[in-house]
Amino acid sequence: MADPFGFLKHARVENPTRPVSERITDWEELQTPLPEEERQEQAARCMNCGIPFCHTGSFFGGQRTVSGCPNDNLIPEWNDLVYQGRTQAAFERLARTNPLPEMTGRVCPAPCEKGCTEALNGSGVTIHDNERFIIDTAFENDWVKASGMPQASTGFKVAIVGSGPAGLSAAWRLNQLGHQVTVYERSDRFGGLLMYGIPNMKLDKDVVQRRIDLMADLGVRFIGNTEIGRDISADELAAQYDRIILSTGASVPRDLTIPGRALTGVQFAVDYLTEATKDVLKHGKEATSKKLTGKHVVVIGGGDTGNDCIGTAVRQGAASVRQLEITPQPPLQRAATNPWPEYPLTARTGYGQEEAAEVFQSQVTYHGVSTTAFIGAERGQLIALETVSVDDRFQPIAGTKEVIKADLVLLAMGFLGPETTLLDAFGVKEVYDDYTTNNERILVAGDAKRGPSLVIWAIREGRLAAEKVDQALRTLVYQ
């Protein structure tokens, strides 16, 4: 594939990230794509390795970490086609498995790159950025619309509840296959976490809306501000559709039930990010609201969500931002127990952490810290939090108690799983590996099925759930 010696000729070059001083003044996307010629050089680094690890998601250590792309993307094939300058053919290969590559090409942590054979002793191929180049070029040339044209109508109707990556992926594929698809969303906009859970500088909302508009043009019906069980009952929905896919995500956040939790100023991260995105959608990408001017912000928890909170708070003019993680500091290099091609469990500096460190000229992230209480003023407003350092077994260390000034605390400690009300309403008691349930007309996909995970997993599950529905409905025709 590509140039067998490309990885020796060309160093890895990622899409350049705008300087911190520039990007924190707006909500525009962080990266600037490379020119096409340089992108072809990066694709040339795909090394004809013979047994690629990049394109098949494999679990190691009892589900501890994944290697490669869980969506089975045909990565070596489209790298070769990009290198040859055959971008339309590359798009056709990419679209066979990934209906939303403009999303993963921006926000995926790219386990494919960590499992790349070149990453064994080198830096891996820029698969993530190559994918973005392919899909952005495809939209520019209207290839995406052509690829999504539906087959002859089957006459079957399918409802999808939830419009996050799993729901959109399922809707795109079902529509392609000729089914009549309606997507229900309880929020005012479609896209789920793609719209409201990921800030604009990481995933521009115009990109999300572009896909939704295209799907609507191709026949998918979207109904917003509609909650199943409140605006329409489960029984009513079941009576109208041949199959229903529940793709509502894992929307129950992990809470921190310590003294002072009810104080004003303690907020779930996803609620905060949603409010910030709504501000951007209302006022524009250049209008960096300074609603946190003079405010001291503490983010409890790490991962992408914690990093997104840091970057958002910086743009909103926070006086300081500190991140607290109860886990120990990860190693700088792979541990012997975490070899290639596993995803490396090493210390990384996110874009938000980088921005906060440069703006405040101070340490941002503190590991091995547990929050024991929130402290408030007389009127119930948060003013500080109490912490203690912990050892590797999360036990308090004597003499390490500290009080930290805080006007806003954001809880970014992950999610526990889906809300069960909807599953109960449809009588779902068992969800099986093939997306089916004990109710043969109800399927479950994405985080609602597997728990909190990556966008690429949701896309895979939406696509495969759609194909499971298609198989079942077509079988009915011959019975």
Side-chain angles (χ1 to χ4, degrees):
M1 291 298 186
D3 182 348
F5 304 102
F7 71 101
L8 298 173
K9 298 176 185 176
H10 310 292
R12 177 186 170 101
V13 179
E14 298 179 3
N15 285 338
T17 303
R18 295 192 293 147
V20 170
S21 59
E22 173 189 319
R23 70 189 195 231
I24 64 171
T25 64
D26 59 40
W27 299 92
E28 298 286 354
E29 286 192 333
L30 298 166
Q31 293 186 319
T32 305
L34 290 175
E36 182 172 357
E37 183 178 341
E38 293 182 51
R39 178 54 52 212
Q40 288 180 270
E41 288 183 353
Q42 290 305 301
R45 298 184 70 248
C46 193
M47 59 191 295
N48 193 16
C49 60
I51 305 177
F53 290 79
C54 59
H55 75 303
T56 301
S58 302
F59 280 101
F60 294 88
Q63 307 288 310
R64 180 178 66 115
T65 184
V66 71
S67 172
C69 180
N71 199 38
D72 303 324
N73 288 336
L74 306 172
I75 294 167
E77 295 185 31
W78 43 258
N79 274 335
D80 181 34
L81 292 166
V82 170
Y83 163 65
Q84 295 181 41
R86 299 170 59 195
T87 312
Q88 185 169 4
F91 165 69
E92 290 168 358
R93 279 289 189 272
L94 175 59
R96 288 191 179 194
T97 54
N98 190 350
L100 306 173
E102 69 274 29
M103 315 303 177
T104 49
R106 287 167 166 81
V107 304
C108 187
C112 53
E113 294 185 6
K114 310 307 184 292
C116 173
T117 304
E118 165 62 5
L120 176 58
N121 288 303
S123 53
V125 175
T126 56
I127 299 167
H128 176 274
D129 292 349
N130 294 354
E131 180 178 52
R132 175 175 172 176
F133 165 75
I134 294 169
I135 187 60
D136 285 355
T137 303
F139 268 108
E140 290 169 7
N141 290 278
D142 214 23
W143 301 333
V144 185
K145 184 173 185 178
S147 74
M149 295 299 292
Q151 301 173 9
S153 176
T154 63
F156 290 112
K157 299 197 298 182
V158 182
I160 296 173
V161 183
S163 66
L168 293 180
S169 174
W172 177 266
R173 185 65 179 130
L174 285 166
N175 189 65
Q176 267 186 328
L177 293 167
H179 304 294
Q180 299 175 40
V181 183
T182 303
V183 179
Y184 290 86
E185 171 59 56
R186 67 182 177 184
S187 184
D188 62 330
R189 285 180 179 258
F190 304 98
L193 68 86
L194 299 173
M195 179 60 70
Y196 283 137
I198 301 172
N200 199 84
M201 62 277 196
K202 203 157 113 182
L203 176 60
D204 195 302
K205 303 314 156 192
D206 291 343
V207 172
V208 181
Q209 192 60 49
R210 176 180 63 182
R211 173 64 69 166
I212 292 164
D213 291 344
L214 175 57
M215 292 173 68
D217 288 344
L218 292 170
V220 177
R221 186 183 178 207
F222 289 92
I223 300 177
N225 292 308
T226 301
E227 184 171 354
I228 310 305
R230 183 192 67 187
D231 302 298
I232 179 173
S233 72
D235 289 342
E236 288 178 283
L237 200 68
Q240 296 177 33
Y241 295 92
D242 299 292
R243 289 292 187 276
I244 297 171
I245 298 177
L246 305 181
S247 56
T248 52
S251 55
V252 179
R254 180 175 284 108
D255 207 345
L256 187 59
T257 53
I258 58 176
R261 174 61 182 88
L263 290 169
T264 301
V266 182
Q267 188 175 15
F268 286 120
V270 70
D271 295 336
Y272 167 71
L273 293 173
T274 297
E275 291 173 5
T277 295
K278 287 185 175 182
D279 282 347
V280 175
L281 291 169
K282 182 177 180 180
H283 300 293
K285 288 175 259 189
E286 299 299 327
T288 51
S289 163
K290 298 301 180 184
K291 61 170 57 179
L292 294 183
T293 298
K295 305 292 186 181
H296 299 277
V297 179
V298 176
V299 178
I300 299 178
D304 288 336
T305 301
N307 187 48
D308 290 340
C309 286
I310 295 170
T312 300
V314 167
R315 283 162 179 76
Q316 291 186 335
S320 70
V321 182
R322 184 181 297 200
Q323 181 182 33
L324 308 179
E325 293 205 47
I326 196 170
T327 55
Q329 170 77 42
L332 297 178
Q333 304 293 332
R334 284 181 183 270
T337 55
N338 177 215
W340 177 90
E342 292 183 4
Y343 194 91
L345 304 176
T346 55
R348 289 181 290 275
T349 300
Y351 75 94
Q353 295 163 330
E354 178 189 8
E355 292 165 357
E358 183 167 324
V359 169
F360 303 118
Q361 293 294 301
S362 62
Q363 183 178 345
V364 177
T365 304
Y366 296 80
H367 286 272
V369 178
S370 175
T371 303
T372 54
F374 299 116
I375 302 170
E378 290 183 3
R379 296 186 178 181
Q381 172 63 44
L382 175 77
I383 59 172
L385 65 162
E386 182 182 280
T387 68
V388 64
S389 297
V390 296
D391 60 24
D392 291 351
R393 292 178 295 175
F394 308 121
Q395 297 303 305
I397 299 173
T400 60
K401 178 180 174 180
E402 183 180 359
V403 175
I404 301 171
K405 185 175 182 179
D407 303 291
L408 175 65
V409 167
L410 301 172
L411 304 179
M413 303 179 297
F415 296 86
L416 299 175
E419 299 171 31
T420 59
T421 307
L422 192 62
L423 298 173
D424 294 341
F426 284 104
V428 174
K429 301 185 185 302
E430 297 287 341
V431 179
Y432 308 118
D433 288 344
D434 65 352
Y435 314 101
T436 61
T437 71
N438 58 285
N439 182 337
E440 68 173 1
R441 296 179 60 206
I442 309 298
L443 290 85
V444 181
D447 288 3
K449 167 179 166 284
R450 63 180 297 110
S453 190
L454 303 178
V455 168
I456 190 62
W457 269 112
I459 291 172
R460 167 195 167 90
E461 296 221 337
R463 173 174 61 87
L464 295 181
E467 291 172 357
K468 188 73 177 179
V469 167
D470 178 68
Q471 181 184 40
L473 293 178
R474 291 182 187 275
T475 300
L476 293 177
V477 175
Y478 299 103
Q479 289 181 346

